[in-house]
């Protein structure tokens, strides 16, 4: 908000410009390029993300370097009843019907799944930021964009 961004009710995802401004604010206040955000609004996370006790939020996080997201992760929902509830809340209830795209996925959880988590890291983005390159495609062996799909 201090940077002049309208964050509304605070329950939407951050824009790229907001992430960059937050990175600059973190650098100015704490003297570091690295920061994490956690407990994102559940409405902007995938159906398999574990909700918090306050169901408006999820047990998820993003890691940033200089306002650029490099990693996203979360605890996964391992309870089949809760998983069905979350899927329905996201308007995907028909995918739970037999033959639906999520039926077998959720059915597998009925046999018992341990609490677990996952994350994805953008290696090219980390290299891009570490080397101070002007374009992330320069950090990729086979960069892709809307005009280039093959090496």
């Amino acid at each position: 908000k201090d940077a002049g961004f309208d964050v509304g009710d605070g329950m939407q995802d951050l824009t790229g410009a907001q992430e960059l401004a937050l990175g600059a604010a973190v650098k100015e206040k704490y003297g570091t390029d690295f920061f994490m955000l956690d407990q994102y609004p559940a409405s902007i996370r995938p159906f398999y993300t574990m909700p918090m006790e306050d169901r408006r939020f999820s047990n998820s996080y993003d890691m940033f370097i200089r306002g650029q997201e490099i990693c996203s992760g979360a605890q996964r929902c391992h309870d089949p009843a809760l998983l069905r509830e979350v899927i329905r809340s996201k308007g995907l209830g028909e995918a739970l019907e037999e033959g639906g795209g999520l039926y077998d996925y959720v059915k597998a959880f009925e046999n018992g799944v341990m609490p677990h988590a996952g994350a994805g890291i953008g290696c090219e983005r980390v290299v891009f930021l570490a080397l101070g390159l002007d374009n992330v495609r320069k950090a990729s062996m086979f960069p892709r964009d809307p005009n280039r799909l093959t090496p």
Side-chain angles (χ1 to χ4, degrees):
K1 290 181 179 180
D2 292 345
F5 290 101
D6 178 9
V7 295
D9 64 1
M11 298 303 281
Q12 286 77 40
D13 204 358
L14 297 174
T15 66
Q18 289 171 327
E19 289 175 349
L20 288 170
L22 184 57
V26 167
K27 177 72 171 183
E28 182 180 320
K29 185 169 184 172
Y30 299 105
T32 184
D33 291 322
F34 179 81
F35 65 97
M36 293 178 67
L37 296 177
D38 71 341
Q39 298 183 14
Y40 273 84
S43 61
I44 64 171
R45 289 301 205 182
F47 70 86
Y48 51 78
T49 303
M50 179 65 84
M52 302 292 289
E53 188 173 324
D54 177 344
R55 295 288 175 89
R56 296 175 303 156
F57 300 98
S58 63
N59 193 13
S60 61
Y61 63 90
D62 285 349
M63 295 180 185
F64 297 83
I65 295 177
R66 292 192 291 278
Q68 299 273 331
E69 180 185 321
I70 59 164
C71 180
S72 186
Q75 180 183 2
R76 306 298 194 222
C77 187
H78 58 277
D79 178 278
L82 179 57
L83 189 53
R84 284 186 186 91
E85 178 186 323
V86 172
I87 290 169
R88 286 187 183 100
S89 76
K90 292 187 177 285
L92 301 171
E94 60 191 46
L96 293 170
E97 296 173 14
E98 192 163 355
L102 296 175
Y103 177 82
D104 290 330
Y105 176 79
V106 177
K107 191 82 173 151
F109 284 69
E110 291 177 0
N111 297 315
V113 175
M114 296 295 292
H116 61 290
I121 188 163
C123 293
E124 284 97 348
R125 190 169 283 195
V126 172
V127 171
F128 153 73
L129 292 165
L131 296 179
L133 302 174
D134 65 339
N135 192 305
V136 70
R137 286 176 283 174
K138 292 180 179 176
S140 176
M141 186 171 218
F142 301 110
R144 307 286 195 267
D145 64 36
N147 299 313
R148 180 181 174 183
L149 298 176
T150 59

